[in-house]
Amino acid sequence: MQKTSVRLLSLLSLLQARRDWPGALLAQRLDISPRTVRRDVDRLRELGYPIVASKGPDGGYRLDAGTELPPLLFDDDQAVALAVALRTATITGAGIEEAAARALTTVRQVMPARLRHRIDTLQVTAVERPATRPNPQVDSSVLMTLSAAVHAREELRFDYTPAPPRGTGDDAPAATPPRRVQPHHLVTWGERWYLVAWDLDREDWRTFRADRINPRTPTGPRFTPRELPGGDVATFVTSRFNGSDGSGDWPCRGEVILHLPATAVSRYIRDGVVEELGPDRCRLVLGSWSWPGLAATVGKFDADFEVIGPTELKDTLAHLARRYTNAATGSLTPLTTPSPEQ
């Protein structure tokens, strides 16, 4: 029979592996009597583990949630995954960098030597994508408040700081009345946090930047969630960030044949379709907010290409060609301004 300390760890590991364990099955797995299982469960309870027992012929045990966080057991893969997640926590925008660093130190200290060596050799540096806009941090308490309101399906009131108008510098925007919403989802997109909610005053769906939200207490009454346009939050958020027509697509989309291998193009395309047409040719379907933006994206590959369509993309390329020629030659010949749709 195993020593008591080893047997307790084995019992704890089993209780963490699934929600409910029949007492007889635990005894069989540990090769002990049901009476010993009961004694070991009592010992774990004395150590702070909230183990709930159910009575009856099919009675058993369940590791429940308690008021404090007792020591936990992780298998090798879980421990490595936890360490990697903690090391990359600096780019989540959730304001938990210091807490993640302390948690990683704690986890590393109790790891066996073989796992500690794996973690130490896995040197991960979390680097944020270069961006022209700041990537604000969100207070973790705000995220918890928003998440709790979503989970409880309770109406939420908050002060919301809108973005300052372009060209106003750092001037503070005018104060706005508190927003009243039915929170639906808390999501992360492009290394920023957003609250997806039904705006009660505007009677429409809205996405709010979490770093601009200052929740008010208490929360409002409970509500029955509405169905999101598109059927799920991923489709809804994609449509809001790609275009404003609710189609889930970019406002401008074009198709070209690039004289480059598909492997050389696909690594730089996040939201598009790359189809191999030969060793040195590929078909690229791509979207953008504007036709000049789409034309510029195609041009960044520094390769010959053929435009399949649409006409708006061809017209924009011709316009940009004249503009670039004027810039290169120093000509001040006025150009016809593209239509607003371009």
Side-chain angles (χ1 to χ4, degrees), residues 37-321:
V37 171
R38 290 193 294 271
R39 288 203 303 263
D40 287 349
V41 166
D42 289 338
R43 292 190 179 99
L44 288 177
R45 287 170 175 163
E46 292 174 358
L47 294 174
Y49 293 97
I51 302 175
V52 178
S54 57
K55 299 180 180 180
D58 298 326
Y61 302 94
R62 181 178 73 249
L63 184 60
D64 207 358
T67 58
E68 297 181 353
L69 183 65
L72 303 175
L73 291 179
F74 298 98
D75 61 31
D76 290 8
D77 290 338
Q78 289 174 327
V80 173
L82 178 61
V84 172
L86 291 172
R87 279 190 171 167
T88 57
T90 57
I91 61 173
T92 63
I96 56 173
E97 295 84 352
E98 181 181 350
R102 289 189 285 108
L104 179 59
T105 300
T106 301
V107 171
R108 183 188 177 281
Q109 287 176 343
V110 297
M111 282 184 174
R114 68 179 188 282
L115 287 184
R116 194 181 307 120
H117 176 70
R118 290 178 63 184
I119 294 302
D120 291 343
T121 56
L122 181 63
Q123 295 297 327
V124 179
T125 301
V127 179
E128 297 185 30
R129 291 185 303 167
T132 57
R133 64 180 185 177
N135 189 23
Q137 297 290 301
V138 185
D139 193 300
S140 58
S141 63
V142 172
L143 293 180
M144 294 302 297
T145 299
L146 300 181
S147 180
V150 170
H151 179 74
R153 299 178 178 177
E154 294 176 342
E155 292 182 7
L156 190 65
R157 293 186 309 132
F158 55 84
D159 297 311
Y160 191 65
T161 305
R166 293 184 179 180
T168 60
D170 295 330
D171 295 340
T176 58
R179 307 298 285 265
R180 299 187 311 117
V181 303
Q182 294 177 347
H184 199 285
H185 274 78
L186 181 64
V187 302
T188 177
W189 174 282
E191 300 175 8
R192 288 185 175 182
W193 291 87
Y194 296 88
L195 176 67
V196 176
W198 174 262
D199 193 309
L200 291 167
D201 295 320
R202 291 157 180 80
E203 297 186 345
D204 195 10
W205 291 99
R206 291 290 190 270
T207 54
F208 300 94
R209 284 260 301 270
D211 59 285
R212 295 176 180 165
I213 291 177
N214 183 20
R216 291 193 175 196
T217 55
T219 55
R222 294 175 62 88
F223 63 91
T224 300
R226 303 167 186 265
E227 184 177 353
L228 270 171
D232 62 82
V233 68
T235 301
F236 173 80
V237 172
T238 300
S239 69
R240 286 300 171 105
F241 284 97
N242 282 0
S244 57
D245 59 357
S247 65
D249 202 358
W250 292 102
C252 304
R253 181 169 289 273
E255 178 180 348
V256 301
I257 303 297
L258 275 172
H259 291 207
L260 284 174
T263 54
V265 176
S266 59
R267 70 186 68 175
Y268 301 107
I269 298 299
R270 294 185 58 189
D271 183 21
V273 177
V274 182
E275 178 184 354
E276 182 178 1
L277 299 180
D280 297 311
R281 295 173 73 248
C282 67
R283 171 177 170 266
L284 173 63
V285 179
L286 197 62
S288 179
W289 273 104
S290 66
W291 294 113
L294 179 57
T297 301
V298 175
K300 75 179 182 180
F301 289 101
D302 192 22
D304 293 335
F305 61 92
E306 310 160 34
V307 178
I308 304 302
T311 303
E312 289 86 350
L313 178 57
K314 293 183 178 181
D315 293 343
T316 300
L317 285 167
H319 177 79
L320 292 180

